Amino acid sequence: AQSVTQPDIHITVSEGASLELRCNYSYGATPYLFWYVQSPGQGLQLLLKYFSGDTLVQGIKGFEAEFKRSQSSFNLRKPSVHWSDAAEYFCAVGTMNRDDKIIFGKGTRLHILP
Amino acid sequence: DTGVSQNPRHKITKRGQNVTFRCDPISEHNRLYWYRQTLGQGPEFLTYFQNEAQLEKSRLLSDRFSAERPKGSFSTLEIQRTEQGDSAMYLCASSFALHGDEQFFGPGTRLTVL
């Protein structure tokens, strides 16, 4: 069965510092991989997705993620965080079945220090 | 189009009462998904529709839960005889029926069962 692990429940970084959020997945084939962000009172917003091809994926808001098959990882990075990046971040794997349902990790809450 | 909308945004009910939530997807999307998100967890898949057909239901969806999507447009999720364990955020998402297409999420309905 597919699963996603986000080992860090909370992460705190200073504004302007770099960020890396970790994600490991379990899936029997090449997965679809996603990163979503959820701000208080807001719906989930897609930051980026990986389906195939280039393993370094660029997303919105200056985020990028790298797919590493050998490590079953899909870590999210940003070179310089802004206070507005404080939110909950979810890594997710999409099934290759016709239903396209998404399996989410438990999330990492990002705190930004001024 | 303003995206996926959900009503109500908040619902407080007493244990044993029935509640119904509504989701209006993006108009040209023919797939509609329901997810449930509890505190400290990522969203969990409940069910999905392609047009008016409900194609899959998670084991999380007990007999007290029923979802409909008449005419393949809006969808309703009803919970009968609510229990305190039903307290959660209920999220709706929609997408095109293209394999791997992005799911767009609504803001959710937060249910509190007293």
Side-chain angles (χ1 to χ4, degrees):
Chain A
Q2 306 92 347
S3 67
V4 176
T5 302
Q6 294 181 248
D8 303 305
I9 298 174
H10 294 272
I11 281 192
T12 302
V13 299
S14 297
E15 189 169 18
S18 64
L19 170 70
E20 183 169 29
L21 301 182
R22 296 183 290 164
C23 172
N24 292 95
Y25 68 90
S26 173
Y27 190 68
T30 301
Y32 294 160
L33 293 163
F34 306 87
W35 275 99
Y36 281 86
V37 61
Q38 187 177 39
S39 300
Q42 304 295 315
L44 286 158
Q45 182 182 23
L46 181 68
L47 287 176
L48 46 80
K49 60 185 179 184
Y50 171 78
F51 283 175
S52 64
D54 193 348
T55 57
L56 185 63
V57 180
Q58 301 297 320
I60 62 171
K61 303 185 180 185
F63 286 93
E64 66 177 26
E66 186 171 12
F67 170 59
K68 293 185 177 179
R69 184 190 305 275
S70 62
Q71 299 177 19
S72 297
S73 69
F74 189 56
N75 294 349
L76 182 72
R77 300 193 294 250
K78 186 170 185 177
S80 176
V81 298
H82 186 263
W83 65 266
S84 61
D85 293 325
E88 185 110 30
Y89 291 80
F90 293 95
C91 181
V93 60
T95 69
M96 298 291 282
N97 303 325
R98 65 172 187 156
D99 56 31
D100 281 333
K101 67 184 177 188
I102 297 175
I103 310 299
F104 287 86
K106 293 186 177 182
T108 297
R109 182 163 293 279
L110 175 63
H111 305 271
I112 307 294
L113 295 175
Chain B
D1 188 83
T2 56
V4 179
S5 62
Q6 293 186 246
N7 289 288
R9 294 291 304 276
H10 302 272
K11 179 69 177 180
I12 299 174
T13 190
K14 294 182 179 179
R15 188 176 53 186
Q17 297 296 305
N18 299 344
V19 295
T20 300
F21 311 139
R22 177 179 170 126
C23 171
D24 287 273
I26 294 172
S27 57
E28 60 267 31
H29 287 178
N30 50 16
R31 282 200 172 181
L32 188 148
Y33 298 80
W34 285 99
Y35 293 84
R36 182 176 69 184
Q37 185 178 17
T38 53
L39 201 61
Q41 302 293 319
E44 297 172 292
F45 170 81
L46 292 178
T47 188
Y48 93 103
F49 293 82
Q50 179 145 336
N51 299 313
E52 66 275 9
Q54 187 174 16
L55 297 183
E56 186 174 343
K57 294 194 291 186
S58 162
R59 60 178 173 78
L60 295 175
L61 216 63
S62 76
D63 291 344
R64 296 183 297 104
F65 287 71
S66 63
E68 295 181 340
R69 193 184 182 197
K71 303 179 183 178
S73 56
F74 70 92
S75 176
T76 58
L77 179 67
E78 180 183 16
I79 309 174
Q80 296 182 326
R81 305 180 304 281
T82 53
E83 302 173 356
Q84 288 186 324
D86 297 331
S87 296
M89 177 76 84
Y90 290 84
L91 297 168
C92 176
S94 69
S95 73
F96 289 107
L98 297 175
H99 193 35
D101 198 51
E102 177 182 349
Q103 293 181 25
F104 291 82
F105 283 81
T109 294
R110 181 168 295 283
L111 173 66
T112 301
V113 181
L114 302 175

